[in-house]
Amino acid sequence: MPRTDPPPDTGVLADGVHESVRPGTALLRLETTHDRQGVLDGAWWPRSRDVAVELPGLISALTERLGPLSRVGLDSVAWNGLPTRLVVDGRVVHIDASAVGDDTVLVTRGDRDLFSLLVVPPDTPPDAARAAMAQAVRADNLKGAERILVDTGAGPLHSAGSVDTEQA
């Protein structure tokens, strides 16, 4: 069987809209346009609310395409056990925690290059997760993360009682 060459590295993550999504699968999608006109730059569907387990994979995937990350901002209400920093692939990444409740993760590359990703709650049904992620990466999206989650049936990440300590 002939092998095909991989697509050239463009510095952005491939659009996985046609890939299969299984329950409990952590997924990441970034907008593949260079103008970044949408409200959000991408979406992330972690498997659990355990930052020590979930965040290194996100950081590695983003670093591979975007370069080294310096900071990650997370909602302290939605995650279990937030550290002040993590070492991922030999690099220190600082973790900023606040109780903003906006259903996003903010990723900083360098000093000022900020990316805002929708966070789909781990227990979201696959169809709702796919719909929320697809909406978040649309270049013409004008909706915030919470509105996308509500409209697609995914529900907000920070809703009362949403932190699930048994998945950690």
Side-chain angles (χ1 to χ4, degrees), residues 130-150:
R130 270 193 296 270
M133 294 177 85
Q135 178 67 40
V137 298
R138 287 180 49 130
D140 62 349
N141 173 50
L142 299 177
K143 294 180 183 177
E146 183 176 15
R147 181 80 264 155
I148 290 172
L149 292 175
V150 169

Side-chain angles (χ1 to χ4, degrees), residues 42 54 67 70 74 88 99 105 127 130:
E54 302 300 329
S70 57
L74 296 169
V88 179
V105 58
D127 287 342
R130 270 193 296 270

Side-chain angles (χ1 to χ4, degrees), residues 28-134:
L28 170 69
R29 292 187 62 196
L30 285 181
E31 179 182 344
T32 56
T33 62
H34 294 282
D35 57 15
R36 296 178 65 194
Q37 292 179 358
V39 171
L40 298 162
D41 299 302
W44 178 42
W45 188 22
R47 294 180 192 113
S48 73
R49 296 177 190 279
D50 184 341
V51 170
V53 170
E54 302 300 329
L55 201 52
L58 173 67
I59 292 170
S60 292
L62 289 172
T63 298
E64 183 179 316
R65 294 297 188 185
L66 301 176
L69 305 177
S70 57
R71 303 191 91 71
V72 175
L74 296 169
D75 183 0
S76 61
V77 176
W79 295 95
N80 298 331
L82 286 175
T84 57
R85 65 182 167 272
L86 284 175
V87 177
V88 179
D89 300 330
R91 294 188 55 91
V92 175
V93 178
H94 297 275
I95 309 297
D96 296 325
S98 63
V100 294
D102 67 354
D103 303 300
T104 64
V105 58
L106 301 176
V107 179
T108 306
R109 174 179 65 181
D111 292 334
R112 292 182 283 174
D113 200 3
L114 185 68
F115 296 87
S116 179
L117 307 176
L118 165 80
V119 180
V120 177
D123 57 350
T124 300
D127 287 342
R130 270 193 296 270
M133 294 177 85

